[in-house]
Amino acid sequence: MVGDFRRVLPNAAIHVYDNNSSDGTAANAHDAGAIVRTETRQGKGAVVRRMFADIDADIYVMTDGDDTYDAASAPALIELLVSGPLDLVNGARETDIAAAFRPGHRFGNRLLTGLVDRIFGADVNDMLSGYKIFSRRYVKSFPAMSTGFEIETELIVHALEMRLPIAEVATPYRVRAEGSSSKLHTFRDGFRILRLIVQLVKEERPIQFFGLLGAIAGTIAIVLGTSVVIEFVETGLVPRLPTAVFATGRERLAALLAFFSGLILETVTRGRREIKRLAYLALAPPGCDDES
C-alpha cells in the first residue's frame, strides 16, 4: 500500500501509525519507506487525534492501512480539494464485490449516513469511508474527541456544523488481502456511532435536543393532567392526587428546565463554534504547490 501511494504522490511524506499491531505492519511500512509512528491507545479515533496533532502539512490524505482503497484516485481528489478550494473531499466506496463491502456494513452505513443527513444535512453518501482528503485548516480546527470508528461520523459532522466546503467522489474499493480481517464490528461499532450521533445532537443542536425532551415532558403533563381536570369538573374531587401533583409539578418543571437548558447550552455551543471558526480562519486555504 505504501508503494502504491508513493508512486502516485512521489513528493508526499507518507506516515503510518502503528496502533499495537502484531502482524509486522510497522516493520513492513518502514521497509517500504514510510515514516512509522506509534499510538498505544487503542482505537481509530485515538490514531486520528495523534496524526492530526503530530503532522504538519498543507494537504492531508487519510486512508486505512488495509490496502482496500484506491491509491490512484488520490491525485484527482487532491486536485479537487485545491481547485475548489475545499476543506474535505470524501472518497465514497464503490465496488461490485460483496466480500469487499459486506451487506451488514453497507446497510449500517446507509442507515447511519441517512440519519446524519436528516439531522445535520450531510452532503455525502458514504459517511463511514476511511478515505478522506483534508485541508490544513480543517485538521487544525478539528477537536477529535472520539476514540473508535465513530471518528468518521465526527469528521463529517464537524465539517457540516462549521459550514465548510466539502465534496464526495466515488472511488474504487477492493477486497482485503488474504489473511486480513476487519476490526469493525457491525453491531458494537454501529451502536457506538449511533450513541455519538445522539451526543453530537445534544452538543451541536442543544435547543432542538432539549426542546424535544421538554416537549415530551410537557405532553406527559398534559395527558395526565387532562384526565384529572375532567374528573374534578365532573365530581368536584381530585381522587388521584399523586397523578395531579406529578402532572402539574414534576412534568411541567421538567419541561421548563429542559427548555431553558437548551437556551443556555445553545449560547455555549455558539461560543465553541466561534472559537473553532477563528482557529480555522487563522490558517490559509489549500492551494500550495506541495502535496503532503
Side-chain angles (χ1 to χ4, degrees):
M1 185 194 77
V2 173
D4 293 338
F5 278 93
R6 174 68 67 201
R7 281 189 291 274
V8 298
L9 300 173
N11 298 321
I14 299 179
H15 297 257
V16 172
Y17 275 74
D18 176 26
N19 192 210
N20 305 317
S21 64
S22 58
D23 57 0
T25 296
N28 292 336
H30 182 271
D31 292 342
I35 301 169
V36 179
R37 296 182 179 180
T38 301
E39 172 52 56
T40 57
R41 286 170 293 185
Q42 201 68 33
K44 184 174 182 179
V47 174
V48 172
R49 182 163 53 251
R50 175 59 59 190
M51 288 192 300
F52 284 6
D54 288 353
I55 301 172
D56 281 321
D58 295 310
I59 298 170
Y60 297 74
V61 179
M62 185 183 79
T63 183
D64 295 342
D66 54 14
D67 199 26
T68 55
Y69 292 97
D70 181 45
S73 300
L77 298 178
I78 293 172
E79 177 59 30
L80 177 61
L81 184 92
V82 174
S83 62
L86 305 173
D87 289 301
L88 166 64
V89 177
N90 189 57
R93 290 166 287 185
E94 187 176 59
T95 182
D96 294 326
I97 305 173
F101 202 175
R102 299 203 303 263
H105 290 180
R106 192 185 297 268
F107 172 77
N109 186 28
R110 288 177 178 174
L111 180 65
L112 295 170
T113 299
L115 183 60
V116 170
D117 182 28
R118 181 170 293 273
I119 297 172
F120 296 100
D123 237 353
V124 297
N125 297 309
D126 186 10
M127 175 183 72
L128 303 181
S129 169
Y131 200 3
K132 290 179 171 64
I133 317 298
F134 306 100
S135 68
R136 174 181 172 82
R137 58 185 183 176
Y138 175 100
V139 166
K140 297 307 180 182
S141 67
F142 178 65
M145 303 303 294
S146 300
T147 57
F149 284 102
E150 66 271 22
I151 187 67
E152 309 290 1
T153 303
E154 189 182 359
L155 287 164
I156 294 296
V157 171
H158 173 72
L160 297 173
E161 287 301 288
M162 290 280 286
R163 296 182 175 85
L164 305 183
I166 67 175
E168 183 177 72
V169 177
T171 57
Y173 188 69
R174 55 179 173 262
V175 71
R176 291 171 170 271
E178 186 175 352
S180 173
S181 61
S182 174
K183 295 180 181 178
L184 178 66
H185 296 84
T186 303
F187 294 104
R188 186 191 69 185
D189 290 304
F191 175 76
R192 292 180 65 175
I193 293 168
L194 183 60
R195 184 177 61 185
L196 175 68
I197 292 173
V198 174
Q199 182 179 341
L200 288 172
V201 173
K202 178 177 68 70
E203 293 179 355
E204 301 295 341
R205 303 289 177 86
I207 192 68
Q208 290 92 332
F209 181 84
F210 287 97
L212 176 61
L213 294 182
I216 293 173
T219 301
I220 293 174
I222 291 171
V223 171
L224 295 177
T226 299
S227 63
V228 174
V229 170
I230 292 174
E231 287 180 345
F232 177 76
V233 171
E234 292 177 345
T235 66
L237 301 174
V238 184
R240 294 184 297 162
L241 183 60
T243 301
V245 173
F246 183 79
T248 59
R250 180 176 174 178
E251 288 305 299
R252 284 189 179 181
L253 180 61
L256 288 172
L257 285 175
F259 175 73
F260 284 108
S261 295
L263 287 179
I264 294 170
L265 291 174
E266 185 73 19
T267 303
V268 175
T269 295
R270 183 179 179 86
R272 289 173 47 247
R273 195 175 294 140
E274 288 175 350
I275 291 172
K276 289 189 288 186
R277 185 72 184 178
L278 290 173
Y280 167 83
L281 292 174
L283 299 169
C288 61
D289 294 332
D290 295 333
E291 296 174 354
S292 300

